[in-house]
Amino acid sequence: MVELASQEQVMAQAVDFRASWWERYVPGEWWPQSLVRLPGAPGHPGYQRVTRQDLFDLAAAAHSPEGRVGLLLGCYLWGTGPSAFLVGRRARTFTRTPLTVVAERLARVDEVMATEGPVAAYASMTRGGPNAVAYLGPAFFTKYLYFTGADLPRRPLILDRKVAAAFGHMDPPWNIGSYGWGSVTYERYLHRAEALAAEHGVSGDAVEHGLFTGRL
């Protein structure tokens, strides 16, 4: 029998990161104080720890241009963790497009999600969409959607390579590849995750967490 994480366990999912690796790419004025003040990582000197709950708290206050960019930065910290070699490549999201432009597009995404739902917001952020940002792909922009969409009737969920790969091992398997997922695939993903959530009596993000961690 599959035993998925409780909501408390999902919210406590934590990652350790080193802020100095990111500070060289993202100016201090774009760092929310709640990120700066995150606690140190136990047993990991020089690192801080960020949880899902921390990012939901950050999202609740992310209504300014700086706040939206700061939330996206938090998504990158949480999604990258202690992997130094990944930082320079992923930081291109913040260095190849002016941060004021990134903020404007995230604000439009918030509007689309509030009025048309998460699938439309997803479509607007894919390559060629009106709110696309260079080097910001689904694995990270779905994190942004997830944390900003907590109060929506239909909640967005994170879709990354680990989640996609987990579907390929289920019965029956659903093979969607490891990148380049279109909005139709995202719609199908939400539908399947919602069905699994109903089957197991959990929230959609507990299903996503289960896919990511290999419990499903």
Side-chain angles (χ1 to χ4, degrees), residues 1-215:
M1 179 178 178
V2 175
E3 184 176 347
L4 296 177
S6 68
Q7 197 63 21
E8 182 179 0
Q9 290 170 326
V10 172
M11 292 301 104
Q13 184 182 8
V15 171
D16 297 344
F17 69 94
R18 188 183 284 273
S20 60
W21 292 342
W22 294 88
E23 288 168 348
R24 69 187 68 177
Y25 301 108
V26 183
E29 61 267 26
W30 294 91
W31 282 73
Q33 284 303 301
S34 57
L35 282 185
V36 174
R37 294 194 298 262
L38 284 169
H44 212 173
Y47 289 76
Q48 292 170 272
R49 179 160 292 178
V50 60
T51 67
R52 285 197 193 222
Q53 187 60 60
D54 291 325
L55 294 181
F56 274 116
D57 294 342
L58 182 56
H63 305 304
S64 67
E66 295 81 5
R68 291 185 177 92
V69 172
L71 174 59
L72 182 62
L73 172 61
C75 293
Y76 271 91
L77 298 176
W78 184 70
T80 302
S83 301
F85 76 97
L86 292 173
V87 173
R89 184 175 66 188
R90 292 183 174 175
R92 291 179 297 179
T93 295
F94 303 97
T95 60
R96 300 298 177 88
T97 302
L99 293 180
T100 53
V101 175
V102 175
E104 290 168 1
R105 293 179 187 173
L106 293 177
R108 293 201 299 265
V109 167
D110 292 350
E111 293 174 3
V112 172
M113 192 153 60
T115 57
E116 302 178 51
V119 176
Y122 181 102
S124 80
M125 298 192 78
T126 55
R127 182 176 297 182
N131 298 318
V133 174
Y135 301 103
L136 176 57
F140 281 92
F141 74 62
T142 58
K143 291 177 176 62
Y144 179 86
L145 298 179
Y146 166 67
F147 287 111
T148 56
D151 297 327
L152 293 177
R154 189 181 199 189
R155 292 188 62 187
L157 296 173
I158 298 168
L159 176 58
D160 60 20
R161 290 186 179 186
K162 283 192 175 182
V163 172
F167 273 114
H169 299 298
M170 296 184 73
D171 185 21
W174 182 39
N175 297 306
I176 60 173
S178 58
Y179 63 94
W181 311 292
S183 59
V184 172
T185 298
Y186 189 65
E187 165 68 42
R188 291 181 63 194
Y189 161 57
L190 292 184
H191 179 74
R192 286 180 177 236
E194 289 157 359
L196 286 166
E199 177 184 341
H200 293 282
V202 297
S203 63
D205 50 5
V207 169
E208 173 263 306
H209 178 274
L211 292 164
F212 181 83
T213 57
R215 296 191 183 194

